[in-house]
Amino acid sequence: MISRASLCRPAQLNFQRQCLLQPSRFRGLATPASGSFSYETGDVGGVKFASRDLAGPTTTLAVVAKAGTRYQILPGFADGLEEFAFKSTYKRSSLRITRESELLGAELSAYHSRENLVIGAKFMRDDLPYFVELLGEVISKTKYTRHELQEEVLPVIKLNQKALLGRTLDLAVNSAHGVAFHRGLGTPLHPSSSTPMTKYLNENYLEAYSKAAYAKPNFAVVANGVEHSELSKWVGEFFTDSPDAAPSDVPAIDLTPSKYYGGEERIAHDAGNSIILAFPGSSSFTGQSYKPEISVLASLLGGQSSIKWSPGFSLLSKATEAYPGAHIMTTHAAYSDAGLLCISITGSSDQVRDASKDVVKALKKVAAGEVSKEEIKKAIATAKFKALESGQNVAAGLELTGAGLVQQGKAHQIDEVGKGIDGVTEDQVKKAAKALLDGKATVSAVGDLYVLPFAGEIGLNV
């Protein structure tokens, strides 16, 4: 059996030899802000990284690349890169990667969102050198082979496509993004079964795209549970093979700023009923169009209680008590330069129809200022808690911080997010609700279209 020491020692010896041959090239960019959950950031050899040294015996490490569906140059490429993570590289087979990670008791993961591709690992703190080397190897030395694409990657993508067909809410969310943003953020999170993906997705195109997606300006390395100097040392050693820029023969990643359009789409489906009422929202905290009042408005509208045995204080939970067959939830999807405030309603077609009318009435109530100061105060407290909880969560914090470094050059600092939400006023929430109603909404209905309403029937402009 291979011991932990034997797996990590080659990486340590290699670094020691390099230190003797060349001067240090590490430089810090910032000191950590106040608060135990703040990130310290840096740059080494053109690779951006961030860390926070949370006490504990384990470490979580991730590469966050600007390679989500928004930036893919052809359909299915974000899914393809995700599924090729931890497959064979030019140094190790996928079997060796699996066995070595198992011997170290680690967890490996890969997923993508609309903007980011996240490749990560959880492991014992002392095994940092091995996993920094592994992630650096995954993004720069993966073999994009035909047999792995045909036998392991495409079958998984096709299974995801089939699963998507039966989830009306996911179909409605994809539809709402497409109607709201068209291209870019409007690209579905996963390709539908009717997407002509096979004519685009092949091993040669995917390998070429990976060189652009994993170019140094397009990714950041983020870690929880590690000393900043240690992360700097190993990132500088094992991420040197990533290209400094995207190759000239690869189509450039589209960086066109997001634009909100709005509109309506209706999709017939017999597996259930879902409707999304969406409006332009706020960018993430590190973006240029960050509006903390949108998060407060989302909490004020709500729909689900956070207190057991209580319907909750939110306006939608009160307004829709008469529809027990409808499930209502307000969410806010924040991206680097835009956001989408979504109210989702699922259930029987008649209850979804009737509940959607009361949802719009509740939003008009906020715009008219017909909410108490106590309700606004509760919404601010709830929004602040959700934001801080999300930033404190290791997985969410890694992606938010990596995306902030890549997109705007600064980390997601949850202390500052909390201060921003604390400063929201009642008048700001009222103005935000009025602006949403005065502008164009996005309405996506999936299900029994004979019963589900049109936007105009519930009082929304599209």
Coordinates of all heavy atoms in Angstrom, one line a residue, residues 206-277:
L206 N -12.8 20.1 -27.8 CA -12.8 20.3 -26.3 C -11.5 20.6 -25.8 O -11.3 21.4 -24.9 CB -13.4 19.0 -25.7 CG -13.9 19.2 -24.2 CD1 -15.0 20.3 -24.1 CD2 -14.5 17.9 -23.8
E207 N -10.5 19.9 -26.3 CA -9.1 20.2 -25.8 C -8.6 21.6 -26.2 O -8.0 22.3 -25.4 CB -8.1 19.1 -26.4 CG -6.7 19.3 -26.0 CD -5.8 18.2 -26.5 OE1 -6.2 17.4 -27.3 OE2 -4.6 18.1 -26.0
A208 N -9.0 22.0 -27.4 CA -8.6 23.4 -27.8 C -9.3 24.4 -26.9 O -8.7 25.4 -26.4 CB -9.0 23.6 -29.2
Y209 N -10.6 24.2 -26.6 CA -11.3 25.1 -25.7 C -10.8 25.1 -24.3 O -10.7 26.2 -23.6 CB -12.8 24.7 -25.6 CG -13.6 25.5 -24.7 CD1 -13.8 26.9 -24.8 CD2 -14.2 24.9 -23.6 CE1 -14.5 27.6 -23.9 CE2 -15.0 25.6 -22.6 CZ -15.1 26.9 -22.8 OH -15.9 27.7 -21.9
S210 N -10.3 24.0 -23.8 CA -9.7 23.9 -22.4 C -8.5 24.8 -22.3 O -8.3 25.3 -21.2 CB -9.3 22.4 -22.1 OG -8.2 22.0 -22.8
K211 N -7.8 25.0 -23.3 CA -6.6 25.9 -23.3 C -7.0 27.3 -23.1 O -6.3 28.1 -22.5 CB -5.7 25.7 -24.5 CG -5.0 24.4 -24.6 CD -4.2 24.2 -25.9 CE -3.3 23.0 -25.9 NZ -3.9 21.8 -25.4
A212 N -8.2 27.7 -23.6 CA -8.7 29.0 -23.3 C -9.4 29.1 -22.0 O -9.2 30.1 -21.2 CB -9.7 29.4 -24.4
A213 N -10.2 28.1 -21.6 CA -10.9 28.1 -20.3 C -9.9 28.1 -19.2 O -10.2 28.8 -18.1 CB -11.8 27.0 -20.3
Y214 N -8.8 27.4 -19.3 CA -7.8 27.3 -18.2 C -6.6 28.2 -18.4 O -5.5 27.9 -17.8 CB -7.4 25.8 -18.1 CG -8.5 24.9 -17.7 CD1 -8.6 23.6 -18.3 CD2 -9.5 25.2 -16.7 CE1 -9.6 22.7 -17.9 CE2 -10.5 24.4 -16.4 CZ -10.6 23.1 -17.0 OH -11.6 22.3 -16.6
A215 N -6.7 29.2 -19.2 CA -5.6 30.2 -19.3 C -5.6 31.0 -17.9 O -6.6 31.1 -17.3 CB -5.8 31.1 -20.4
K216 N -4.4 31.4 -17.5 CA -4.2 32.0 -16.2 C -5.2 33.2 -15.9 O -5.7 33.3 -14.8 CB -2.8 32.5 -16.0 CG -1.8 31.3 -15.9 CD -0.4 31.8 -15.7 CE 0.6 30.6 -15.6 NZ 2.0 31.0 -15.4
P217 N -5.5 34.0 -16.9 CA -6.5 35.1 -16.5 C -7.9 34.6 -16.2 O -8.7 35.3 -15.7 CB -6.5 36.0 -17.8 CG -5.2 35.7 -18.5 CD -5.0 34.2 -18.2
N218 N -8.2 33.3 -16.6 CA -9.6 32.8 -16.5 C -9.9 31.9 -15.3 O -10.9 31.4 -15.3 CB -9.9 32.1 -17.8 CG -10.1 33.0 -19.0 OD1 -10.3 34.2 -18.8 ND2 -9.9 32.5 -20.2
F219 N -8.9 31.8 -14.4 CA -9.2 30.9 -13.2 C -8.5 31.5 -12.0 O -7.6 32.3 -12.1 CB -8.8 29.4 -13.5 CG -7.4 29.2 -13.5 CD1 -6.7 28.9 -12.3 CD2 -6.6 29.2 -14.6 CE1 -5.3 28.6 -12.2 CE2 -5.3 28.9 -14.6 CZ -4.6 28.6 -13.4
A220 N -9.0 31.0 -10.9 CA -8.4 31.3 -9.6 C -8.4 30.1 -8.7 O -9.2 29.2 -8.9 CB -9.2 32.4 -8.9
V221 N -7.4 30.0 -7.8 CA -7.3 28.9 -6.9 C -7.8 29.4 -5.5 O -7.2 30.4 -5.0 CB -5.9 28.3 -6.8 CG1 -5.8 27.1 -5.9 CG2 -5.4 27.9 -8.2
V222 N -8.7 28.7 -4.9 CA -9.2 29.1 -3.6 C -9.2 28.0 -2.6 O -9.5 26.8 -3.0 CB -10.7 29.6 -3.7 CG1 -11.2 30.3 -2.4 CG2 -10.8 30.6 -4.9
A223 N -8.8 28.3 -1.3 CA -8.7 27.2 -0.3 C -9.3 27.7 1.0 O -9.1 28.8 1.4 CB -7.3 26.7 -0.2
N224 N -9.9 26.7 1.7 CA -10.3 26.9 3.1 C -9.5 25.9 4.0 O -9.4 24.8 3.6 CB -11.8 26.6 3.3 CG -12.6 27.8 2.9 OD1 -12.9 28.7 3.8 ND2 -13.0 27.9 1.7
G225 N -9.0 26.4 5.1 CA -8.3 25.6 6.0 C -6.8 25.4 5.6 O -6.3 24.3 5.7
V226 N -6.2 26.5 5.2 CA -4.8 26.4 4.8 C -4.1 27.7 5.1 O -4.7 28.8 5.0 CB -4.6 26.0 3.3 CG1 -5.3 27.1 2.5 CG2 -3.2 25.9 2.9
E227 N -2.8 27.7 5.5 CA -2.1 28.9 5.7 C -1.8 29.6 4.3 O -1.5 28.9 3.3 CB -0.7 28.6 6.4 CG -0.9 28.2 7.8 CD 0.5 28.0 8.4 OE1 1.5 28.3 7.8 OE2 0.5 27.5 9.6
H228 N -1.9 30.9 4.3 CA -1.8 31.6 3.0 C -0.4 31.4 2.4 O -0.3 31.2 1.2 CB -2.0 33.1 3.2 CG -2.2 33.9 2.0 ND1 -3.2 33.8 1.1 CD2 -1.3 34.8 1.4 CE1 -3.1 34.6 0.1 NE2 -1.9 35.2 0.2
S229 N 0.6 31.4 3.2 CA 2.0 31.2 2.6 C 2.2 29.8 2.1 O 2.9 29.7 1.0 CB 3.0 31.5 3.8 OG 2.8 30.6 4.8
E230 N 1.5 28.8 2.7 CA 1.6 27.5 2.1 C 0.9 27.4 0.8 O 1.5 26.8 -0.2 CB 1.0 26.5 3.1 CG 1.9 26.1 4.3 CD 3.1 25.3 3.8 OE1 2.9 24.2 3.3 OE2 4.2 25.8 4.1
L231 N -0.3 27.9 0.7 CA -1.0 27.9 -0.6 C -0.2 28.6 -1.7 O -0.1 28.1 -2.8 CB -2.4 28.5 -0.5 CG -3.2 28.5 -1.7 CD1 -3.5 27.0 -2.1 CD2 -4.5 29.2 -1.5
S232 N 0.4 29.8 -1.3 CA 1.2 30.5 -2.3 C 2.4 29.7 -2.8 O 2.7 29.7 -4.0 CB 1.7 31.8 -1.6 OG 2.5 32.5 -2.5
K233 N 3.0 29.0 -1.9 CA 4.2 28.2 -2.3 C 3.8 27.1 -3.3 O 4.5 27.0 -4.3 CB 4.8 27.6 -1.0 CG 6.0 26.7 -1.2 CD 6.6 26.3 0.1 CE 5.7 25.4 0.9 NZ 6.3 24.9 2.1
W234 N 2.8 26.4 -3.0 CA 2.5 25.2 -3.9 C 1.8 25.7 -5.2 O 2.0 25.0 -6.2 CB 1.6 24.2 -3.1 CG 2.4 23.6 -1.9 CD1 2.0 23.8 -0.6 CD2 3.6 22.9 -2.0 NE1 2.9 23.1 0.2 CE2 3.9 22.6 -0.6 CE3 4.4 22.5 -3.0 CZ2 5.0 21.8 -0.3 CZ3 5.6 21.7 -2.6 CH2 5.9 21.4 -1.3
V235 N 1.0 26.7 -5.1 CA 0.4 27.2 -6.4 C 1.5 27.7 -7.3 O 1.4 27.4 -8.5 CB -0.6 28.4 -6.1 CG1 -1.0 29.1 -7.4 CG2 -1.9 27.8 -5.4
G236 N 2.5 28.4 -6.8 CA 3.6 28.9 -7.6 C 4.4 27.7 -8.2 O 5.0 27.9 -9.3
E237 N 4.4 26.6 -7.6 CA 5.1 25.4 -8.1 C 4.3 24.6 -9.1 O 4.9 24.2 -10.1 CB 5.5 24.5 -6.9 CG 6.2 23.2 -7.3 CD 7.5 23.5 -8.0 OE1 8.1 24.6 -7.9 OE2 7.9 22.6 -8.7
F238 N 3.0 24.4 -8.9 CA 2.3 23.4 -9.7 C 1.3 24.0 -10.7 O 0.7 23.2 -11.4 CB 1.6 22.5 -8.8 CG 2.5 21.6 -8.0 CD1 2.5 21.6 -6.6 CD2 3.5 20.8 -8.6 CE1 3.3 20.9 -5.8 CE2 4.3 20.0 -7.8 CZ 4.3 20.1 -6.4
F239 N 1.2 25.3 -10.8 CA 0.3 25.9 -11.8 C 1.1 26.7 -12.9 O 0.6 27.6 -13.5 CB -0.7 26.8 -11.2 CG -1.8 26.1 -10.5 CD1 -1.7 25.5 -9.3 CD2 -3.0 25.9 -11.2 CE1 -2.7 24.8 -8.7 CE2 -4.1 25.2 -10.6 CZ -3.9 24.6 -9.4
T240 N 2.4 26.3 -13.1 CA 3.2 27.0 -14.1 C 2.9 26.6 -15.5 O 3.3 27.3 -16.5 CB 4.7 26.7 -13.8 OG1 4.9 25.3 -13.8 CG2 5.1 27.3 -12.4
D241 N 2.3 25.4 -15.7 CA 2.0 24.9 -17.1 C 0.8 25.5 -17.7 O 0.6 25.2 -18.9 CB 1.9 23.4 -17.0 CG 3.3 22.7 -16.7 OD1 4.3 23.3 -17.0 OD2 3.3 21.6 -16.1
S242 N 0.0 26.2 -17.0 CA -1.2 26.8 -17.6 C -0.8 27.9 -18.5 O 0.1 28.7 -18.2 CB -2.2 27.3 -16.5 OG -2.7 26.3 -15.7
P243 N -1.4 28.1 -19.7 CA -1.0 29.2 -20.6 C -1.3 30.6 -20.0 O -2.2 30.7 -19.3 CB -1.8 28.9 -21.8 CG -3.0 28.1 -21.4 CD -2.5 27.3 -20.2
D244 N -0.4 31.5 -20.4 CA -0.6 32.9 -19.9 C -1.8 33.6 -20.5 O -2.3 34.5 -20.0 CB 0.7 33.7 -20.2 CG 1.9 33.2 -19.3 OD1 1.6 32.7 -18.2 OD2 3.0 33.3 -19.8
A245 N -2.2 33.1 -21.7 CA -3.3 33.6 -22.4 C -3.9 32.6 -23.3 O -3.3 31.5 -23.6 CB -2.9 34.8 -23.3
A246 N -5.1 32.8 -23.7 CA -5.8 31.8 -24.6 C -5.0 31.8 -26.0 O -4.6 32.8 -26.5 CB -7.2 32.2 -24.8
P247 N -4.9 30.6 -26.6 CA -4.2 30.4 -27.9 C -5.0 31.3 -28.9 O -6.2 31.4 -28.9 CB -4.3 28.9 -28.2 CG -4.5 28.3 -26.8 CD -5.3 29.3 -26.0
S248 N -4.2 31.8 -29.9 CA -4.8 32.7 -30.9 C -5.7 31.9 -31.9 O -6.6 32.5 -32.5 CB -3.7 33.4 -31.7 OG -2.8 32.4 -32.3
D249 N -5.5 30.6 -32.0 CA -6.3 29.8 -32.9 C -7.6 29.3 -32.3 O -8.3 28.6 -33.0 CB -5.5 28.7 -33.5 CG -5.0 27.7 -32.4 OD1 -5.0 28.1 -31.2 OD2 -4.6 26.6 -32.7
V250 N -7.9 29.7 -31.1 CA -9.1 29.2 -30.4 C -10.0 30.4 -30.4 O -9.6 31.6 -30.0 CB -8.8 28.7 -29.0 CG1 -10.1 28.4 -28.3 CG2 -7.9 27.5 -29.0
P251 N -11.3 30.3 -30.7 CA -12.3 31.4 -30.7 C -12.3 32.0 -29.3 O -12.3 31.4 -28.3 CB -13.6 30.8 -31.0 CG -13.3 29.6 -31.8 CD -12.0 29.1 -31.3
A252 N -12.2 33.4 -29.2 CA -12.2 34.1 -28.0 C -13.5 33.9 -27.2 O -14.6 33.8 -27.8 CB -12.0 35.6 -28.2
I253 N -13.4 33.8 -25.9 CA -14.6 33.7 -25.0 C -15.3 35.0 -25.1 O -14.8 36.1 -25.0 CB -14.1 33.4 -23.6 CG1 -13.5 32.0 -23.5 CG2 -15.3 33.5 -22.6 CD1 -13.0 31.6 -22.1
D254 N -16.6 34.9 -25.3 CA -17.5 36.1 -25.4 C -17.7 36.8 -24.1 O -18.2 36.2 -23.2 CB -18.8 35.7 -26.0 CG -19.7 36.9 -26.4 OD1 -19.2 38.0 -26.2 OD2 -20.8 36.7 -26.9
L255 N -17.2 38.0 -24.0 CA -17.2 38.8 -22.8 C -18.2 39.9 -22.9 O -18.2 40.9 -22.1 CB -15.9 39.3 -22.4 CG -14.7 38.3 -22.2 CD1 -13.4 39.0 -21.9 CD2 -15.1 37.3 -21.1
T256 N -19.2 39.8 -23.8 CA -20.2 40.8 -24.0 C -21.0 41.0 -22.7 O -21.5 40.0 -22.1 CB -21.2 40.4 -25.1 OG1 -20.4 40.2 -26.3 CG2 -22.2 41.5 -25.3
P257 N -21.1 42.2 -22.2 CA -21.9 42.4 -20.9 C -23.4 41.9 -21.1 O -23.9 42.0 -22.1 CB -21.9 43.9 -20.7 CG -20.7 44.4 -21.5 CD -20.6 43.5 -22.7
S258 N -23.9 41.4 -20.0 CA -25.3 40.9 -20.0 C -26.3 42.0 -20.2 O -26.1 43.1 -19.7 CB -25.6 40.2 -18.7 OG -24.7 39.1 -18.5
K259 N -27.3 41.7 -20.9 CA -28.4 42.7 -21.1 C -29.7 42.0 -20.9 O -30.0 40.9 -21.3 CB -28.4 43.2 -22.6 CG -29.5 44.2 -22.9 CD -29.4 44.7 -24.4 CE -30.6 45.6 -24.7 NZ -30.6 46.0 -26.1
Y260 N -30.6 42.7 -20.1 CA -31.9 42.1 -19.7 C -32.9 42.5 -20.8 O -33.0 43.7 -21.2 CB -32.3 42.6 -18.4 CG -33.7 42.2 -18.0 CD1 -33.9 40.9 -17.4 CD2 -34.9 42.9 -18.2 CE1 -35.1 40.4 -17.1 CE2 -36.1 42.5 -17.9 CZ -36.2 41.2 -17.3 OH -37.5 40.8 -17.0
Y261 N -33.7 41.5 -21.3 CA -34.7 41.8 -22.3 C -36.1 41.6 -21.8 O -37.0 42.5 -22.0 CB -34.5 40.8 -23.5 CG -33.2 41.0 -24.2 CD1 -32.0 40.3 -23.9 CD2 -33.1 41.9 -25.3 CE1 -30.8 40.5 -24.5 CE2 -31.9 42.1 -26.0 CZ -30.8 41.4 -25.6 OH -29.6 41.6 -26.2
G262 N -36.4 40.5 -21.1 CA -37.7 40.2 -20.6 C -38.6 39.6 -21.7 O -38.3 39.7 -22.9
G263 N -39.7 39.1 -21.4 CA -40.7 38.5 -22.3 C -41.4 37.3 -21.7 O -41.5 37.2 -20.5
E264 N -41.9 36.5 -22.6 CA -42.7 35.4 -22.1 C -42.5 34.1 -23.0 O -42.3 34.2 -24.2 CB -44.2 35.8 -22.2 CG -45.2 34.7 -21.7 CD -46.6 35.2 -21.6 OE1 -46.9 36.3 -22.2 OE2 -47.4 34.6 -20.8
E265 N -42.5 33.0 -22.4 CA -42.4 31.7 -23.1 C -43.3 30.7 -22.4 O -43.4 30.6 -21.2 CB -41.0 31.2 -23.1 CG -40.8 29.9 -24.0 CD -39.4 29.5 -24.1 OE1 -38.5 29.7 -23.2 OE2 -39.0 28.9 -25.2
R266 N -43.9 29.8 -23.2 CA -44.9 28.8 -22.7 C -44.5 27.5 -23.3 O -44.3 27.3 -24.5 CB -46.3 29.2 -23.0 CG -46.7 30.5 -22.3 CD -48.0 31.0 -22.9 NE -49.2 30.1 -22.7 CZ -49.9 30.0 -21.5 NH1 -49.5 30.8 -20.5 NH2 -50.9 29.2 -21.4
I267 N -44.3 26.4 -22.4 CA -43.9 25.1 -22.9 C -44.9 24.1 -22.4 O -45.1 24.0 -21.1 CB -42.5 24.8 -22.4 CG1 -41.5 25.8 -22.8 CG2 -42.1 23.4 -22.8 CD1 -40.1 25.7 -22.2
A268 N -45.5 23.4 -23.3 CA -46.5 22.3 -22.9 C -45.8 21.1 -22.3 O -44.7 20.7 -22.8 CB -47.3 21.9 -24.1
H269 N -46.3 20.6 -21.2 CA -45.7 19.5 -20.5 C -46.7 18.7 -19.7 O -47.6 19.4 -19.1 CB -44.5 20.0 -19.6 CG -43.5 19.0 -19.3 ND1 -43.7 17.8 -18.5 CD2 -42.2 18.9 -19.7 CE1 -42.5 17.2 -18.5 NE2 -41.6 17.8 -19.1
D270 N -46.6 17.4 -19.6 CA -47.7 16.7 -18.9 C -47.2 16.0 -17.6 O -47.8 15.2 -17.0 CB -48.3 15.6 -19.8 CG -47.3 14.5 -20.2 OD1 -46.1 14.7 -19.8 OD2 -47.7 13.5 -20.8
A271 N -45.9 16.4 -17.2 CA -45.4 15.8 -15.9 C -45.5 16.7 -14.7 O -45.2 16.3 -13.6 CB -43.9 15.5 -16.1
G272 N -46.1 17.9 -14.9 CA -46.3 18.8 -13.8 C -46.5 20.2 -14.3 O -46.6 20.5 -15.5
N273 N -46.6 21.2 -13.3 CA -46.9 22.6 -13.7 C -46.0 23.5 -12.9 O -45.9 23.4 -11.7 CB -48.3 22.9 -13.4 CG -49.3 22.1 -14.1 OD1 -49.6 22.3 -15.3 ND2 -49.8 21.0 -13.5
S274 N -45.3 24.3 -13.6 CA -44.4 25.3 -13.0 C -44.5 26.6 -13.7 O -44.6 26.6 -14.9 CB -42.9 24.8 -13.0 OG -42.8 23.7 -12.2
I275 N -44.4 27.7 -13.0 CA -44.4 29.0 -13.6 C -43.3 29.9 -12.9 O -43.2 29.8 -11.6 CB -45.7 29.7 -13.6 CG1 -45.7 31.0 -14.5 CG2 -46.2 30.0 -12.2 CD1 -47.1 31.6 -14.7
I276 N -42.5 30.6 -13.6 CA -41.5 31.5 -13.1 C -41.9 32.9 -13.4 O -42.1 33.3 -14.6 CB -40.1 31.2 -13.6 CG1 -39.6 29.8 -13.3 CG2 -39.1 32.3 -13.2 CD1 -39.2 29.6 -11.8
L277 N -42.0 33.8 -12.4 CA -42.2 35.2 -12.6 C -40.8 35.9 -12.2 O -40.4 35.8 -11.1 CB -43.3 35.8 -11.7 CG -44.6 35.0 -11.7 CD1 -45.6 35.6 -10.7 CD2 -45.2 34.9 -13.1

